[in-house]
């Protein structure tokens, strides 16, 4: 839309394309007034990470809608993932309504996983907001869901090597400042932002029985629920110290009282013996 209409809408105004997958701009008719901040989606890397965490996976149900853009990405995704065909069976949702996607997600057998890529329109042409659709899929799913972007965490995504929104945002701000400060937009075309270190949702790991020991090294764990000790550590320590001090004082009082009784008993015994000894001395008979 921008490329086709900017000459009439905003003539001469620089354009910054941000968050666009790099392949979408490879053949685009960009001009010297265009700056870009692209991202790189590595589908084989995402699926490989999924299979490393869940090596018993035999089927992956891939969520991808039916809009023209999604049909374009279907061809790209199938080509990217073709080398993995001997490791896992891939099924796609492009010819399904959203209701059918939910039914399929709910009926997946053990050894399955879900890869959520994009859902703009379903087969019936019904539009969907990305996170809301993911929420509904997560509620219905009988298998863990893996996604592509960091913002999908908290909506049912388990995690993995995700494209982080913060990195895209920082790159976008930096690019915009360069253009606003007078640099030629055609020189402001940054290297694609790729997925960072793996990040996982602790709640989804627990839900699907995925052990942290099976995650890649240096993985980041988010939304971890603290144990009782982690939540109340210093209160517990303070209470234990207080109880310890009180116990020590009580023991000290008991010991002192016992010593006093013993001292009084000894003194009384000495006094009694002394009186008897005096009574038997010569001259007292």
């Amino acid at each position: 839309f921008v490329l086709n209409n900017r000459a009439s809408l905003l003539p001469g105004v620089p354009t910054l394309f941000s968050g666009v997958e790099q392949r979408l701009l490879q053949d685009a008719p960009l001009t010297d007034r265009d700056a870009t901040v692209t991202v790189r989606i590595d589908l084989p890397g995402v699926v490989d990470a999924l299979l490393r965490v869940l090596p018993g996976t035999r089927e992956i149900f891939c969520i991808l809608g039916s809009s023209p853009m999604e049909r374009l990405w279907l061809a790209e995704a199938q080509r990217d993932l073709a080398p993995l065909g001997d490791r896992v069976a891939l099924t796609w949702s492009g010819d399904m309504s959203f209701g059918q996607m939910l039914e399929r997600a709910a009926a997946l057998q053990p050894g399955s996983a879900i890869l959520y890529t994009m859902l703009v329109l379903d087969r019936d042409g019904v539009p969907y907001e990305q996170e809301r659709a993911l929420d509904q899929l997560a509620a219905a799913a009988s298998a863990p869901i893996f996604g592509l972007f960091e913002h999908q965490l908290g909506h049912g995504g388990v995690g993995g090597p995700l494209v982080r929104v913060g990195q895209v945002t920082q790159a976008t701000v930096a690019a915009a400042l360069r253009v606003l400060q007078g640099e030629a937009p055609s020189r402001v075309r940054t290297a694609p932002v790729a997925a960072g270190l793996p990040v996982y949702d602790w709640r989804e790991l627990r839900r699907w029985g995925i052990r942290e020991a099976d995650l890649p090294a240096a993985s980041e764990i988010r939304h971890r629920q603290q144990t009782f000790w982690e939540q109340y550590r210093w209160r517990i320590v303070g209470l234990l110290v207080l109880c310890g001090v009180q116990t020590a004082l009580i023991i000290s009082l008991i010991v002192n009282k016992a010593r006093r009784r013993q001292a009084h008993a000894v003194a009384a015994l000495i006094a009694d013996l002394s009186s008897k000894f005096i009574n038997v001395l010569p001259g007292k008979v």
Side-chain angles (χ1 to χ4, degrees):
F1 176 84
V2 173
L3 292 174
N4 292 335
N5 298 280
R6 62 182 168 179
S8 58
L9 294 177
L10 298 168
V13 177
T15 303
L16 171 58
F17 296 93
S18 173
V20 183
E21 217 286 336
Q22 58 176 348
R23 283 172 282 190
L24 290 179
L25 293 180
Q26 284 178 348
D27 299 323
L30 298 178
T31 71
D32 58 2
R33 302 291 292 168
D34 298 323
T36 63
V37 176
T38 60
V39 299
R40 182 172 67 86
I41 303 299
D42 180 15
L43 271 181
V46 171
V47 174
D48 184 68
L50 184 162
L51 295 176
R52 288 178 181 273
V53 172
L54 296 174
T57 303
R58 299 184 298 274
E59 178 188 3
I60 299 178
F61 178 42
C62 303
I63 303 295
L64 188 62
S66 300
S67 68
M69 179 174 62
E70 289 167 298
R71 288 196 294 270
L72 169 66
W73 279 117
L74 176 60
E76 291 285 330
Q78 289 177 329
R79 181 168 53 250
D80 287 348
L81 298 179
L84 297 173
D86 59 342
R87 297 177 60 187
V88 63
L90 301 173
T91 57
W92 300 87
S93 67
D95 60 348
M96 299 181 183
S97 67
F98 186 59
Q100 290 173 325
M101 295 181 201
L102 293 177
E103 292 176 1
R104 182 79 176 95
L108 291 172
Q109 299 300 311
S112 301
I114 299 171
L115 176 61
Y116 186 88
T117 58
M118 183 187 305
L119 182 57
V120 178
L121 295 177
D122 69 359
R123 179 199 63 188
D124 299 330
V126 179
Y128 290 91
E129 195 276 323
Q130 298 287 317
E131 278 69 40
R132 290 186 181 179
L134 183 54
D135 288 336
Q136 294 181 61
L137 280 165
S142 59
I145 301 176
F146 293 80
L148 306 177
F149 300 97
E150 177 189 35
H151 61 265
Q152 293 168 340
L153 290 179
H155 294 277
V158 174
L162 307 176
V163 175
R164 305 202 179 197
V165 176
Q167 291 179 310
V168 178
T169 302
Q170 291 174 354
T172 301
V173 171
L177 288 175
R178 290 170 62 185
V179 173
L180 291 172
Q181 290 168 357
E183 188 171 349
S186 60
R187 297 182 56 188
V188 185
R189 295 179 181 176
T190 63
V193 178
L197 292 174
V199 55
Y200 293 91
D201 188 326
W202 181 87
R203 299 165 299 184
E204 298 301 322
L205 296 177
R206 290 285 300 270
R207 176 184 177 186
W208 301 110
I210 300 173
R211 302 187 311 161
E212 291 187 35
D214 295 332
L215 302 181
S219 293
E220 178 185 351
I221 308 297
R222 295 188 184 174
H223 306 300
R224 186 190 299 276
Q225 294 179 2
Q226 292 183 323
T227 63
F228 184 82
W229 167 252
E230 291 172 335
Q231 284 182 301
Y232 302 104
R233 177 186 309 167
W234 296 115
R235 295 182 185 181
I236 294 173
V237 170
L239 182 61
L240 290 175
V241 170
L242 178 61
C243 290
V245 171
Q246 288 180 332
T247 301
L249 289 173
I250 292 171
I251 292 174
S252 177
L253 291 173
I254 292 173
V255 170
N256 286 334
K257 188 173 183 180
R259 286 177 177 175
R260 281 160 136 195
R261 287 179 178 176
Q262 187 178 24
H264 285 311
V266 171
L269 178 61
I270 292 174
D272 182 59
L273 291 175
S274 298
S275 62
K276 290 181 179 180
F277 179 74
I278 292 173
N279 288 334
V280 298
L281 287 176
K284 294 291 185 179
V285 181

